[in-house]
Amino acid sequence: MGWNAGSFASSGNANTFLGAEAGKFTTVNLNTFVGEKTGINNTTGVANSYFGRRAGDTNVTGSYNTLLGSDAAVVAAGLSRAVAIGYNAQVSASN
C-alpha cells in the first residue's frame, strides 16, 4: 500500500509493504517494510523487518534483519540476523 510499494514484487509471497516505494524491488518472501522507501533496494533478502523512513534502503540480499528507526541501515553486504535500533542506527556485522 503506497505509491510504487512492491511494484516489482511479482514473485514474492507473504510480504507487507506500507509507504511510497517500500519494498519496490523485492522478489522474495516474508518481508515487512513500513515507511517511505523502506527496503527499497532489497531484492533477494528474506524475512526482514524494517520500520521507519528509508530504513533498510541499503540492504540488497541480507536476510532475517530487523531495523527500527528512520535511516536505520545495514552497512555491509549480505548481513543476516542483524539488528539496528534508532534514528540513523547502523549495523555492520551479522548475529
Side-chain angles (χ1 to χ4, degrees):
M1 178 177 282
W3 180 77
N4 262 348
S7 57
F8 292 96
S10 60
S11 59
N13 294 306
N15 291 303
T16 302
F17 305 134
L18 299 174
E21 298 187 299
K24 184 176 181 177
F25 298 107
T26 299
T27 60
V28 292
N29 307 325
L30 306 173
N31 291 291
T32 301
F33 301 149
V34 179
E36 178 189 13
K37 296 187 178 181
T38 300
I40 189 172
N41 293 309
N42 185 74
T43 57
T44 58
V46 177
N48 293 297
S49 298
Y50 303 156
F51 300 88
R53 185 173 185 258
R54 292 190 312 255
D57 64 352
T58 57
N59 184 60
V60 177
T61 61
S63 296
Y64 310 104
N65 298 306
T66 302
L67 304 174
L68 304 172
S70 293
D71 298 306
V74 295
V75 294
L79 296 186
S80 179
R81 295 173 177 81
V83 177
I85 299 173
Y87 169 74
N88 206 29
Q90 299 180 346
V91 60
S92 60
S94 296
N95 286 323

